[in-house]
Amino acid sequence: MQLGMIGLGRMGGNIVRRLMNNGHTAVVYDKDARAVAGLAGEGATGADTLEDFVAKLDKPRTAWVMLPAGKITEATIEALAKLMQPGDVIIDGGNTFWQDDVRRGAALKAKGLHYLDVGTSGGVWGIERGYCMMIGGDKAVVDRLDPIFKTLAPGVGDIPPTSGREGRDPRVEQGYIHAGPSGAGHFVKMIHNGIEYGLMQAYAEGFDILKNANIEALPPEHRFAFDIADIAEVWRRGSVIPSWLLDLTSSALAENQTLENYSGFVEDSGEGRWTVNAAIDEAVPAEVLTAALYARFRSRKDHTFAEKILSAMRAGFGGHKEPPKKPDTKA
């Protein structure tokens, strides 16, 4: 099956590669001509302009937009809508605010176009591990594009089946789900990322306590000089708190136990804020997720070892880099 991809960054480019590695074809476009040329050299069909991109897609066309949420995604989808024809599909796979999806879905439907919002998790490792996808939109369109989603998904792997799931949608066990109508995919991904904030913060604070268990303020008999890299590693094996995030933490600590290569300045990409806002709208208490978000705000003013742990995990799963250090302007 053919897919068009707009945006060839950390995830867009690897989504295309995973598809091509498994027999699909791709048309690609990016403002960076070097990114287009690179994927064209690997077998994709490159496009010089958005018009050229649409012209090279087979009908009914499917165009996946993988750009940062916000104005650039909005403008790109608006431009695509003017070039595409009834029956064509536009997919937004970025971390878009779900209410924007509801609005877009209705506007594009009025033009005869289909719209899917695909919350995509997998980071820079998705090309190898596969992508967990949470999809919103019309079921018939999702079903028609199933070969694309099935290829991108991680598959069952070595995870044992869950007892009692007989008769349910088997796609879920492959790592992708049709979550509901427009907006549902990104709503589920928003909560996924909110939970991610909380999990990361729990690991970060725990390792910070371990690191400080040898401070002079403690009585000598209460001090412990822990090897936190070894503790991270042993927790990966048979404990009740293993995860990919712990895997990434263990790897980062094995490389540099002080994490001095990180400042601890932790960005938030929006989903945590939206998750907290949703909790407020629903009157759902979300103390852990809210505190984790606020901890990121504080990290930009006063860094701790916990924030370095967070930075290390973000670099591990998503290739997120800390912003450059600002010069000290204090007198």
Side-chain angles (χ1 to χ4, degrees), residues 123-243:
V124 296
W125 297 97
I127 187 172
E128 299 172 7
R129 294 168 56 99
Y131 300 91
C132 177
M133 291 167 290
M134 297 137 270
I135 308 167
D138 292 341
K139 182 179 184 300
V141 179
V142 176
D143 290 347
R144 177 165 65 82
L145 296 178
D146 188 73
I148 294 290
F149 299 129
K150 187 174 183 178
T151 297
L152 292 175
V156 174
D158 58 1
I159 299 174
T162 299
S163 176
R165 282 200 51 84
E166 295 79 7
R168 292 178 175 269
D169 187 347
R171 294 177 294 186
V172 172
E173 295 176 352
Q174 298 283 332
Y176 62 113
I177 184 174
H178 178 220
S182 291
H186 277 142
F187 190 100
V188 175
K189 178 58 162 52
M190 171 185 75
I191 302 304
H192 166 282
N193 283 26
I195 292 171
E196 178 186 295
Y197 280 35
L199 291 172
M200 292 174 69
Q201 189 64 31
Y203 282 126
E205 292 176 7
F207 281 107
D208 204 0
I209 295 169
L210 288 170
K211 179 180 180 294
N212 285 283
N214 197 32
I215 60 173
E216 293 183 0
L218 296 171
E221 66 273 19
H222 292 173
R223 298 178 195 170
F224 299 100
F226 290 121
D227 187 319
I228 57 175
D230 281 357
I231 291 173
E233 184 64 22
V234 78
W235 282 348
R236 295 179 62 219
R237 305 175 186 280
S239 83
V240 298
I241 59 167
S243 71

Side-chain angles (χ1 to χ4, degrees), residues 214-276:
N214 197 32
I215 60 173
E216 293 183 0
L218 296 171
E221 66 273 19
H222 292 173
R223 298 178 195 170
F224 299 100
F226 290 121
D227 187 319
I228 57 175
D230 281 357
I231 291 173
E233 184 64 22
V234 78
W235 282 348
R236 295 179 62 219
R237 305 175 186 280
S239 83
V240 298
I241 59 167
S243 71
W244 186 29
L245 293 173
L246 184 58
D247 294 345
L248 297 170
T249 301
S250 180
S251 178
L253 289 171
E255 182 179 338
N256 184 342
Q257 185 158 302
T258 67
L259 297 183
E260 60 189 15
N261 47 325
Y262 295 99
S263 71
F265 186 108
V266 186
E267 293 279 14
D268 71 287
S269 52
E271 295 88 350
R273 302 183 189 211
W274 301 336
T275 297
V276 171

